[in-house]
Amino acid sequence: MAEHVNLERRRQAIYGWLLLTPAAILLTTFAFYPSMATLWTSLFSRGTRRRPSEFVGSENYTDLFADPTFWKVVTNNLIYAGATIPISIAIALGMALWANSKIPARGFVRTAYFTPTVLPMIAAANLWLFFYTPGLGVLDQIGSLFGLPSVNWLGQPETALWAVIIVTIWKEAGFFMIFYLAALQTIPEDLKEAADIEGASRWTYTRRIVFPLLMPTTLFIMVNALINSVKLIDHLFILTKGGPNDASKLILYYIWEMAFAFFDAPQAAAMTIMVLLVLGIVAAIKFSYLDKRTHYQ
Amino acid sequence: MRALSRHIETLGALLLAVIWISPLVFAFWAAFHTTSDAVNFNVTAAWTLDNFRTAWDGAPWLRYFLNTFVLVTVILIGQFVITTLAGFAFAKVQFPGRDFVFILVLMQLFILPEVLIVENYAMVSRLGLFDSILGVGMPYMASAFGIFLMRQAFKGVPIELHEAARVEGCGWFGILWRVYVPLARPTYLAYALVSVSTHWNNFLWPLIVTNSPDTRPLTVGLSIFGAPENGVDISVISAATMMSVAPLLIAFLVFQRQFVQAFLRAGIK
């Protein structure tokens, strides 16, 4: 009997690993090994034809920290994250509250909010180009109605990053709205009735009952928005190419530029490690939070 | 008072909706008008298809469409096979080290393929997959997100069905194929919609891995077509943009409910 159980257990183990093999191979090839390789590359100098690359330890990192462009890019990305995360969450929440209430043309409203989500970032950038182009663009045309001077939104350092931020918010707010909508629909009706009986205003109800109940959703969205603030850079290729003067350059774009325009793989690797570190911290926070809530069991 | 605030809210909601949709509407309108009419907001101007003709002749769009179509199909098939097997292993098979491996898989949710472009590019070149559609698709096939989703779906299948199939003489793969996969159909549909729209829209990685019109997907083609060096005007760019978003956008408008449900199902769990 014991032998039978043992045999079954062994068989299950073999099946389990067999089933995992394709995923394990691909994950190793395109996630785990490259992460390790990135760390390795970041410790070597850039090889040239005359001088092969050699171990330099932390030199790439010290170079990186001495590079003013790196700090500029980090600052930009912090502003990018600091603006897109709260603003898109706030807009998403407002959208969800509206799209969930009984208003006329609710179907149109929902569709309008969500549509940017299904567009490629590249296409979104093209649409917004039409708004931002100086002289001809929609924004300048509206401005000229009020006698405002033409503004080169994408061409001047003060506004370029913000123009990029607006496109990101436009793209992701409707997506986040969906999660809020789902959460709103799980709030039981009796809570609203109870609040009405107690004579609570709609605002009090929203603030005291709805917002706290939406908290887990907000945290979930926040993690997503944080990841997006690293990942969503496609529109830079169309709108600003990181310019003018690096004013709108973000980290991932800079990594791409380092590796594929300047061919400096070690520098790019060092920067990638930084990003992975940050993402790792986010992951740790998320998993410890999730573990506490045992969300995925 | 209450009625008034309701009206104001409705107005706000509609106003926001109009603002949100306006970039798309403007581009749509510009695509069907001459550049000078478009930038002057000549509302009465005649509609024209010239921009689409110019755009269509300017790049191998049919090829780009085909590439994108093949790309999302290849990725989806790969993802279905790999995440089904792995999800089943994590959900229903007992083996030592399972939980540890699962945590490793979850970590991949944060090691974004986008961030590892440098080494993944080296890896794809080493495998001889540079400038191939398979090279664009491979890094996304073992999607941690998909594995997680399938695991959740399979966990919900009652063990009695599993036992019944076993008593009937079904092997592991038989049980997986005949019991679990059919029962997880809604999850597959949801995952398919999310996957297709993600990879239809993906840009950075395809930009790096493709190098010829034969492999380039729509997004990369569109970015090259719209590059300022090519000197195309705004109406033609709008037409090209409309063309490349049309299939997904129309699909979305038609199957809106399923789309939203799909994103929900995918996101909430």
Side-chain angles (χ1 to χ4, degrees), chain A residues 8 12-13 15-17 19-20 22-23 26-27 29-35 37-38 41 91 95 98 103-105 108-109 111-120 122-123 126-131 133 136 138 141 169-170 173 175 178-179 182 202 220 223 227 230-231 233-234 237-238 252 255-256 259-260 265 268 272 275-276 279 282-283 286-287 295-297, chain B residues 2 6 9-10 12-14 16-17 20-24 26-27 30 38-39 41 82 85-86 88-90 93-96 101-102 104-106 108 110-112 114-121 123-124 126-127 138-139 141-142 147-148 151-152 155 166 172-173 201 203-204 207-208 219 222-223 234 237 241-242 245 248-249 252-253 256 259-260 263-264 267-268:
Chain A
E8 173 62 23
Q12 287 228 11
Y15 275 126
W17 286 105
L19 289 165
L20 277 186
L26 279 176
L27 280 177
T29 319
F30 293 108
F32 302 126
Y33 171 76
S35 308
T38 306
T41 310
I91 293 178
M95 283 174 165
W98 275 337
I103 56 164
F108 162 72
V109 167
T111 308
Y113 293 162
F114 188 71
T115 303
T117 301
V118 293
L119 302 178
I122 290 294
N126 278 341
L127 303 184
W128 280 88
L129 210 52
F130 195 51
F131 272 65
T133 310
L136 311 173
V138 177
Q141 303 256 2
I169 293 172
W170 177 74
F175 181 54
I178 294 294
F179 300 113
R202 220 156 70 82
F220 171 82
V223 173
I227 291 177
V230 174
K231 193 167 75 167
I233 56 135
D234 295 355
F237 285 85
I238 299 281
L252 186 53
I255 292 178
W256 173 82
F260 297 99
T272 306
V275 176
L276 285 178
L279 289 175
V282 176
K286 176 170 163 131
F287 287 141
H295 218 81
Y296 56 82
Q297 275 310 320
Chain B
R2 266 222 158 142
R6 273 245 176 266
E9 275 196 49
T10 306
L14 283 173
L16 189 64
W20 231 245
I21 202 82
S22 62
L24 198 60
F26 272 117
V39 298
F41 296 101
I82 286 164
L85 298 179
F88 184 66
F90 284 126
V93 185
Q94 292 291 340
F95 58 92
V101 180
F102 188 60
L104 277 184
V105 169
L106 284 184
Q108 201 246 331
F110 290 87
I111 309 178
L112 309 169
E114 282 80 7
V115 178
L116 292 173
I117 45 178
V118 183
E119 286 302 325
N120 273 345
Y121 167 78
M123 178 59 85
V124 162
R126 231 174 283 147
L127 295 172
M138 271 249 276
M141 284 181 188
I147 293 173
F148 181 65
R151 171 181 178 263
Q152 296 301 98
K155 274 197 154 209
R166 200 148 69 166
W172 279 96
F173 277 98
N201 296 341
F203 171 73
L204 184 61
L207 172 76
I208 292 166
T219 45
L222 182 62
S223 81
I234 202 115
I237 291 184
T241 308
M242 284 299 130
V245 302
L248 206 60
L249 197 61
F252 163 67
L253 292 175
Q256 208 189 114
F259 251 95
V260 171
F263 277 98
L264 276 183
I268 289 304

